[in-house]
Amino acid sequence: MFVADCMTKNPVTIRPDAGMDEAEKLMDEGHFRRLPVVEDGKLVGFFTNRDLLRASPSSATTSDRHEVRTLLAKIKVADVMQKNVISVTDTMTIEEAALILERKKIGGLPVLSEGGDLVGIISSTDIFRAFTVVMGLDTGKTRLTIDVADQMGVLRDISTILANLDINIDSMVTLPQPNGTYQIIIRADIDDVDTVKKRLWAKGFTVSHVTRIG
């Protein structure tokens, strides 16, 4: 799955010369946490609710709502926005986008086309939503956790056992463990879990966890 498949398309944008009161209004009305800042059709910054909070008067102030908005109107988005914007392209995989979000410890990124035009925003929420689709979490599948050694042919052997039982694997993930072994996570339609566990055990594989998700 690619960024283009799960991003929020055609995001609301704001100009760098707009007042922070306008940014606040847009974010409140649209329930946004992020606004790309665009000038002459090009991305020049990224404005987030964190920037808004940082530049807003302290909650301890005695100013009323009207006075706060007047103060915010005097501050331009360009004065507080993030100028060195980290972005991704719509042709990148969601794995790459997720890695950037995790490493940079940020919640969202503007998405650019290969030509440099702003085409969307991808957030951690979009990544989570894509994850549930990719893993088939809402389709009511059985999830098996199989403990295996790090050796050749493991995936082939497990796939063969399930195929012989007419079980079609919907998704399979390998997770390395600290002790050098692996866990194989499989999701599939499995009616007779006990038979599956016995067949896997006979080949030296241990099913350490079984549950049904969705």
Side-chain angles (χ1 to χ4, degrees):
M1 186 176 287
F2 297 92
V3 168
D5 299 320
C6 56
M7 68 183 185
T8 299
K9 300 178 181 179
N10 302 315
V12 173
T13 64
I14 195 165
R15 306 178 317 280
D17 61 348
M20 279 187 50
D21 60 326
E22 183 179 341
E24 182 189 38
K25 182 179 179 181
L26 284 174
M27 296 173 83
D28 282 347
E29 291 179 348
H31 305 289
F32 305 133
R33 298 180 65 184
R34 304 165 188 88
L35 287 172
V37 185
V38 175
E39 186 174 34
D40 297 327
K42 294 298 180 183
L43 182 72
V44 295
F46 207 42
F47 185 85
T48 70
N49 59 344
R50 187 173 298 180
D51 300 318
L52 178 63
L53 290 172
R54 188 176 66 250
S56 296
S58 167
S59 58
T61 182
T62 58
S63 301
D64 61 23
R65 183 64 178 169
H66 175 72
E67 290 174 322
V68 169
R69 291 194 67 83
T70 300
L71 290 171
L72 290 177
K74 296 178 180 179
I75 305 173
K76 302 303 179 186
V77 168
D79 298 329
V80 295
M81 70 181 187
Q82 302 165 38
K83 297 183 173 67
N84 297 319
V85 184
I86 302 171
S87 64
V88 294
T89 64
D90 56 352
T91 57
M92 290 176 65
T93 63
I94 58 170
E95 294 98 316
E96 292 173 289
L99 190 59
I100 293 172
L101 288 172
E102 191 276 329
R103 285 181 171 174
K104 299 297 183 180
K105 296 183 177 3
I106 51 181
L109 296 164
V111 183
L112 305 180
S113 68
E114 292 293 344
D117 296 323
L118 177 72
V119 292
I121 290 178
I122 188 165
S123 68
S124 55
T125 300
D126 298 320
I127 297 292
F128 291 146
R129 188 180 301 115
F131 173 78
T132 63
V133 172
V134 170
M135 301 303 293
L137 299 183
D138 61 348
T139 55
K141 303 294 181 180
T142 297
R143 179 190 189 276
L144 300 180
T145 301
I146 308 170
D147 299 327
V148 302
D150 182 10
Q151 60 188 34
M152 295 289 291
V154 166
L155 295 180
R156 178 200 61 210
D157 293 343
I158 292 175
S159 298
T160 299
I161 292 169
L162 295 181
N164 289 338
L165 293 170
D166 294 325
I167 295 173
N168 183 50
I169 297 173
D170 288 272
S171 67
M172 178 185 290
V173 177
T174 59
L175 298 176
Q177 301 301 298
N179 62 2
T181 63
Y182 281 81
Q183 285 186 339
I184 307 296
I185 311 298
I186 289 176
R187 289 177 178 82
D189 285 319
I190 302 174
D191 296 323
D192 188 351
V193 173
D194 287 338
T195 296
V196 172
K197 292 172 69 174
K198 290 176 182 177
R199 294 284 183 93
L200 289 168
W201 179 266
K203 288 292 186 178
F205 302 120
T206 301
V207 177
S208 59
H209 185 267
V210 179
T211 190
R212 187 175 178 86
I213 298 177

